[in-house]
Amino acid sequence: MHRRQFIQNSALALAMLAFYRADLFASPSWTRAYEFKALRNDIGIFTEQGGTIAWLNGTSGFVVVDAQFPTTAPHVIEELKKLGDKPFKYLLNTHHHGDHTAGNISFKGLAEHVVAHQNSAVNQKLAAEKANSLDKQLLPDTTFGKGWKAPVGKEKISAYYYGSGHTNGDVVYHFENANIAHVGDLVFNRRYPYIDQDNGAHIGNWIKALDQITNQFDNDTLFIWGHSLDPEKVTGNKADIKAFQNYLQSLLTFVSGEIKAGKSREDILKATSIPGAPEWKGDGIARSLTAAYKELTTG
């Protein structure tokens, strides 16, 4: 590769990382090959770069949950088109982060409706305006507050909002007949989460939201996670939700204890693991510690 081309490509990569900063912690590999596989009842998942995508091959059309990036979304579209000549009824966003919504633009003129929580839609637009990239966005045209429902062929989809968690606009999409729920970034499976306080995240409320989720769904529900330490474990069950809830509670307990012991923020950030939650690993423990310190000291 010529030096000039290398510099140009490197600059482009850095620019992408700067805009989609959520993906700095969201994906273990920049070039991982994609996987498109069925789960049950004509519902499956797609993984490549960024947040896990769910898809429905419904009798009356396709539904896609989250869209990753403009470079990866065309892959899931291509795979779905192999399953039949059907309309794309809905593109559903779990929240606004770029590793879940930047690929929305690939569905322009294809998806009949883009759906998201009203806070997610506001956050996405504000982030795009700040980055001067509104022309690269496909914003939601259908928004809701507490919930949303839609039938697609034989399947029924319900969306639920539980208040602030990972952001102030996270929702869970439940495919009722298949009993599959995509929880987006409300669960980071065994990897340190991003806690986006600039966009309304709140650890205490997040813990309560996970209580509501475990109480609402039954033991047969198959959950899809936004991210996982092991890329092969982006689905799971209630035990995984409780384990992540324990991580968040252990985080608050640890940081609260350190504050009461007179430790400074700098001292607290030296921690390399969270007592009581040793399964949580990867990059980004400092983000969790910083968020917990801020929440506990400023409210």
Side-chain angles (χ1 to χ4, degrees):
M1 182 182 291
H2 294 298
R3 183 173 182 273
R4 179 179 296 177
Q5 183 181 359
F6 173 80
I7 293 171
Q8 289 174 338
N9 289 348
S10 298
L12 176 60
L14 287 171
M16 290 180 67
L17 285 171
F19 179 66
Y20 304 123
R21 64 190 182 98
D23 201 58
L24 285 168
F25 52 86
S27 180
S29 169
W30 184 252
T31 58
R32 185 158 60 91
Y34 73 74
E35 183 175 32
F36 180 90
K37 69 177 183 179
L39 296 176
R40 65 190 186 203
N41 290 51
D42 299 313
I43 293 170
I45 56 173
F46 172 91
T47 55
E48 185 174 7
Q49 176 70 31
T52 308
I53 290 175
W55 51 264
L56 164 67
N57 177 19
T59 54
S60 63
F62 300 119
V63 176
V64 178
V65 183
D66 284 343
Q68 295 188 0
F69 293 97
T71 53
T72 61
H75 297 155
V76 72
I77 292 170
E78 178 184 354
E79 292 294 336
L80 287 171
K81 285 183 174 180
K82 293 177 183 177
L83 301 180
D85 184 14
K86 303 176 185 179
F88 283 73
K89 304 296 290 184
Y90 297 103
L91 171 61
L92 312 176
N93 289 148
T94 60
H95 65 293
H96 78 284
H97 285 152
D99 59 314
H100 296 257
T101 63
N104 281 13
I105 194 69
S106 299
F107 291 84
K108 187 173 184 178
L110 189 64
E112 293 179 9
H113 295 287
V114 181
V115 182
H117 188 266
Q118 58 197 21
N119 292 344
S120 177
V122 170
N123 293 341
Q124 184 181 348
K125 184 177 181 181
L126 288 175
E129 289 174 342
K130 185 176 180 180
N132 195 28
S133 65
L134 265 177
D135 60 325
K136 297 180 177 65
Q137 304 295 313
L138 180 61
L139 300 173
D141 62 83
T142 303
T143 61
F144 59 91
K146 290 187 177 181
W148 174 85
K149 293 180 181 291
V152 179
K154 296 182 292 183
E155 188 55 83
K156 297 178 181 178
I157 305 171
S158 294
Y160 300 96
Y161 177 66
Y162 303 96
S164 293
H166 167 65
T167 69
N168 64 3
D170 301 273
V171 296
V172 172
Y173 291 102
H174 186 215
F175 296 91
E176 295 182 7
N177 293 337
N179 198 11
I180 294 176
H182 195 318
V183 303
D185 284 5
L186 285 171
V187 172
F188 282 68
N189 188 29
R190 272 72 181 182
R191 70 177 305 161
Y192 295 126
Y194 180 39
I195 304 170
D196 189 359
Q197 290 171 315
D198 289 340
N199 285 287
H202 191 280
I203 303 168
N205 289 343
W206 197 343
I207 292 168
K208 294 176 183 177
L210 294 174
D211 262 335
Q212 293 181 68
I213 292 170
T214 53
N215 290 334
Q216 178 168 347
F217 298 103
D218 61 38
N219 291 332
D220 294 323
T221 306
L222 178 62
F223 294 95
I224 299 171
W225 321 128
H227 304 285
S228 176
L229 181 68
D230 182 343
E232 297 301 317
K233 295 181 179 179
V234 292
T235 63
N237 55 34
K238 280 188 179 184
D240 298 307
I241 296 177
K242 296 301 289 185
F244 181 60
Q245 185 182 43
N246 175 69
Y247 167 80
L248 293 175
Q249 186 61 65
S250 297
L251 170 66
L252 287 182
T253 299
F254 170 67
V255 175
S256 176
E258 295 291 271
I259 292 171
K260 290 177 181 177
K263 297 287 186 67
S264 68
R265 177 179 176 274
E266 290 70 25
D267 286 337
I268 294 171
L269 287 176
K270 293 176 183 177
T272 57
S273 64
I274 303 300
E279 291 179 274
W280 263 257
K281 300 175 182 178
D283 297 326
I285 188 173
R287 288 188 299 270
S288 284
L289 294 167
T290 299
Y293 182 86
K294 181 178 179 181
E295 186 170 314
L296 290 166
T297 56
T298 63

